[in-house]
Amino acid sequence: MQYKQKTSRRGFLDWLIGLCSAISGAAMTIPSLMYLWPAAQGGESSNVEVPGAENLSVGTSTKVQVGPRAVIVVRGRDGYVAFSAVCTHLGCLVRWDPGKKQFLCPCHAAAFDDKGQVVSGPPPGPLEPYKVKEVSGKVFVSSI
Amino acid sequence: MGWQRSFLGFFDARFDTDTGRKLVEKQVFKRLPPHTGWLHVFASLSLFLFISQTVTGILLLMYYRPTPEAAHKSIQYLTGEVQFGWLYRQVHAWGATLMIMALLLHMCRTYFMGAYKKPRELTWVTGVLLFIVTITFGFTGYLLPWNQIAFWATTVGTESAAKVPFIGHWLQYFLRGGDVVAGETLSRFFVVHVIILPWVLTGLVGLHLFLMRLNNLSSSKRVDESEEFPPETGIPFFPVHAAKEVSVLILLVAVLVTLSVLLPWEIGEPADPLSTPSHIKPEWYFLPSYQLLKYFEGPYGAFIGIIACTVPFVLLIVWPFVDRGKERHPRKRPLAVSIGLVGLVGALFLGWLGHVSETDINVFGQRYHIDLLGWPHKLADGEEGGGHDGAGGESAPGEH
């Protein structure tokens, strides 16, 4: 009958030192990785006032920062509409072309209609819509 | 000289300087293989440019301030007010371009002469890693002036990271330090550019040089033949090869300063997170990847595109382990040489397409608009090319 070899005191200490080193390493690594993970960027993301929106004439547009994102607000005949200005292709900002009634991306020639749907170009999806609210003549946008 | 003797004597009395001296002399007077010539100087040029980038980078750091509010102004101040600030900025910017060119030429020489083969596989691998680190230097440094082109090129570049499946959005969020390119991104890129990458590059350069000196330069003999050569036929590193390197270095300095003076890099408009300028394009060394990405559309298109852009780098790293042929001479390696040439010409062609895409060009008096994918479209007289001009076509008075 064979007996299991007993762990020597030296072997046990080697094992213990290895374990403590691993725990210490993890204890130092985990907080530093968490430290590197970005904290949320600031900025209001609901009921953000659109400066000067009340002075926009019909068919024109302006941009405003909502949270970290740029939002484009267009004044139409029936009121205001707002979409994320970030092209869903590679993140460039679209501009509103009142003649074509389209949002155009300057980077890769993409076009979106006035409802934010892709008309042409490489974007994989539509522009993200934003809520618009008019209070006492002032215009506010919020993410949906 | 008495003072020299006493100065050296101080060290001789305390350290085993003889061993150190012999080691240095062995390296300095080492005999290089007989075919070593002018094509072998690109590595030293790359090393010199790395040193130049480090020195000019430290000088620029004396005035540069890495915040969105101050970065662009500090570059303007450095260029306009500080004595010779314009020169160091230009030498740094042109140095980056020339360093990548020198590295590419060095890699081409190594590839076509079969110098990556046994026993130098790891030297090649560290060389490819050096190239990857160098273009990462270019990517991170590009944002630092915080101008419009830099800001939006970085936005597009980091947006591509989001297309990696499963982890894409986390990766993008981590790279940017948040949802969008902002001050957090500038801080991250700054730290990576001036602290992390220089140390990584220094370590890799040290390892690369160590491996190169350990195995000496490659001969043109077969892998299974001895690379030994009679010492009298070898080229002494000093003074023969070193003289060649110094001559080319002097020429390089002349080119670097001439480019800096005659073709200065613009500072550009400060970054505006609410307005994208038209036709953002990356630096020339990213143009092949930039153009390649355009051909992949659809739900998985971007992912496949990213794989297509990554494959050439992975292939370069594993190439010495794939090409196990014994021959080194290019004439005896038709397949490897053909693959190399196709890759090189393909990259140059894609880069050129990326450069001319979304522009109008003139060919023998006929104007063509080159579209996004590189296809030419004939233009009638006076007709403007397609695409949307982000700034020029602005018609909304309320638009910021």
Side-chain angles (χ1 to χ4, degrees):
Chain A
M1 197 170 162
Q2 272 193 328
Y3 291 99
K4 270 190 184 172
Q5 198 182 351
K6 276 188 178 175
T7 307
S8 67
R9 187 162 31 174
R10 184 179 290 270
F12 174 73
L13 283 174
D14 283 349
W15 178 84
L16 195 65
I17 288 168
L19 181 72
C20 290
S21 305
I23 292 171
S24 309
M28 285 188 281
T29 308
I30 292 167
S32 52
L33 286 178
M34 286 168 74
Y35 173 83
L36 287 175
W37 190 251
Q41 283 170 324
E44 284 295 317
S45 60
S46 62
N47 291 326
V48 176
E49 187 183 342
V50 185
E54 59 277 15
N55 300 325
L56 286 179
S57 50
V58 172
T60 60
S61 68
T62 187
K63 286 192 192 117
V64 65
Q65 199 90 35
V66 179
R69 297 268 171 202
V71 169
I72 186 162
V73 181
V74 179
R75 182 168 196 174
R77 291 194 186 286
D78 307 323
Y80 296 88
V81 287
F83 294 94
S84 161
V86 181
C87 177
T88 51
H89 179 220
L90 284 176
C92 297
L93 295 193
V94 296
R95 68 177 183 88
W96 172 247
D97 185 320
K100 293 180 179 170
K101 289 193 168 36
Q102 285 180 342
F103 296 100
L104 306 177
C105 178
C107 288
H108 297 102
F112 301 84
D113 66 16
D114 55 359
K115 308 234 170 4
Q117 299 298 318
V118 181
V119 175
S120 63
L127 295 176
E128 185 191 341
Y130 273 68
K131 265 194 299 198
V132 187
K133 195 164 66 176
E134 274 186 81
V135 180
S136 314
K138 294 204 178 295
V139 179
F140 297 87
V141 290
S142 312
S143 53
I144 293 175
Chain B
M1 297 279 277
W3 67 269
Q4 255 183 349
R5 209 172 300 128
S6 59
F7 179 74
L8 294 175
F10 175 86
F11 291 97
D12 288 339
R14 287 159 179 82
F15 306 102
D16 179 15
T17 47
D18 258 0
T19 310
R21 199 173 291 134
K22 276 178 195 156
L23 196 71
V24 170
E25 280 174 4
K26 190 183 166 194
Q27 293 304 317
V28 169
F29 300 107
K30 189 166 189 160
R31 296 268 168 167
L32 306 175
H35 74 296
T36 309
W38 290 97
L39 287 176
H40 288 79
V41 300
F42 297 121
S44 307
L45 292 193
S46 313
L47 183 61
F48 166 77
L49 284 163
F50 172 51
I51 295 166
S52 161
Q53 290 302 92
T54 308
V55 173
T56 52
I58 290 170
L59 292 173
L60 295 178
L61 273 176
M62 302 280 178
Y63 293 94
Y64 178 73
R65 282 172 284 159
T67 67
E69 297 76 26
H72 191 265
K73 282 182 193 151
S74 67
I75 298 282
Q76 274 181 322
Y77 175 75
L78 161 84
T79 310
E81 305 293 330
V82 178
Q83 294 194 60
F84 291 106
W86 64 271
L87 180 65
Y88 292 125
R89 180 176 157 257
Q90 295 299 338
V91 168
H92 195 73
W94 273 112
T97 276
L98 294 182
M99 185 174 167
I100 290 170
M101 280 183 183
L103 278 174
L104 281 172
L105 288 169
H106 176 52
M107 282 172 76
C108 284
R109 203 274 307 157
T110 309
Y111 180 89
F112 289 112
M113 292 176 92
Y116 55 82
K117 296 198 171 193
K118 193 181 171 186
R120 299 179 185 81
E121 298 97 326
L122 291 180
T123 319
W124 168 265
V125 171
T126 53
V128 177
L129 293 177
L130 276 169
F131 179 69
I132 294 171
V133 171
T134 306
I135 56 174
T136 313
F137 253 117
F139 183 66
T140 50
Y142 199 57
L143 179 67
L144 303 188
W146 203 248
N147 58 29
Q148 272 287 71
I149 298 291
F151 181 90
W152 289 104
T154 306
T155 298
V156 171
T158 48
E159 192 72 30
S160 306
K163 313 293 180 195
V164 175
F166 309 118
I167 58 159
H169 283 286
W170 289 344
L171 186 64
Q172 183 205 48
Y173 190 70
F174 182 75
L175 284 174
R176 286 181 174 176
D179 288 308
V180 293
V181 174
E184 293 85 348
T185 323
L186 184 59
S187 298
R188 280 174 186 241
F189 276 44
F190 176 71
V191 169
V192 171
H193 189 78
V194 307
I195 296 174
I196 298 174
L197 289 180
W199 283 112
V200 172
L201 201 74
T202 305
L204 278 172
V205 166
L207 184 59
H208 190 71
L209 288 176
F210 173 74
L211 289 171
M212 186 269 288
R213 279 286 165 168
L214 205 62
N215 285 324
N216 203 348
L217 293 179
S218 167
S219 73
S220 51
K221 289 180 181 169
R222 281 172 57 92
V223 171
D224 48 5
E225 286 176 21
S226 165
E227 290 192 284
E228 294 288 318
F229 52 87
E232 65 277 10
T233 63
I235 310 283
F237 174 73
F238 187 87
V240 179
H241 190 66
K244 283 183 184 148
E245 293 190 331
V246 172
S247 329
V248 180
L249 272 185
I250 292 168
L251 192 67
L252 175 78
V253 172
V255 169
L256 191 55
V257 175
T258 308
L259 286 170
S260 302
V261 173
L262 298 183
L263 291 170
W265 291 68
E266 297 288 329
I267 304 176
E269 293 293 313
D272 178 358
L274 286 181
S275 168
T276 308
S278 52
H279 310 316
I280 304 292
K281 286 186 183 174
E283 275 300 278
W284 64 271
Y285 38 89
F286 288 121
L287 281 175
S289 305
Y290 161 80
Q291 187 62 22
L292 191 60
L293 274 174
K294 294 180 187 172
Y295 298 105
F296 299 94
E297 290 183 17
Y300 298 105
F303 170 53
I304 299 168
I306 286 175
I307 290 181
C309 292
T310 313
V311 162
F313 291 98
V314 175
L315 255 182
L316 278 175
I317 290 176
V318 300
W319 188 250
F321 308 102
V322 174
D323 177 18
R324 313 286 292 180
K326 306 283 184 210
E327 297 290 353
R328 287 190 209 276
H329 198 286
R331 282 196 198 137
K332 292 174 181 166
R333 297 162 46 232
L335 183 64
V337 169
S338 307
I339 291 172
L341 283 176
V342 167
L344 196 61
V345 172
L348 287 172
F349 181 66
L350 275 173
W352 176 76
L353 274 188
H355 176 67
V356 297
S357 66
E358 298 175 87
T359 62
D360 297 345
I361 60 167
N362 228 320
V363 181
F364 298 120
Q366 173 62 53
R367 285 175 66 242
Y368 293 88
H369 174 72
I370 310 296
D371 71 13
L372 187 71
L373 300 179
W375 294 110
H377 300 276
K378 207 181 252 187
L379 293 173
D381 283 344
E383 190 187 350
E384 286 296 316
H388 312 309
D389 191 339
E394 204 65 78
S395 52
E399 183 101 28
H400 294 314

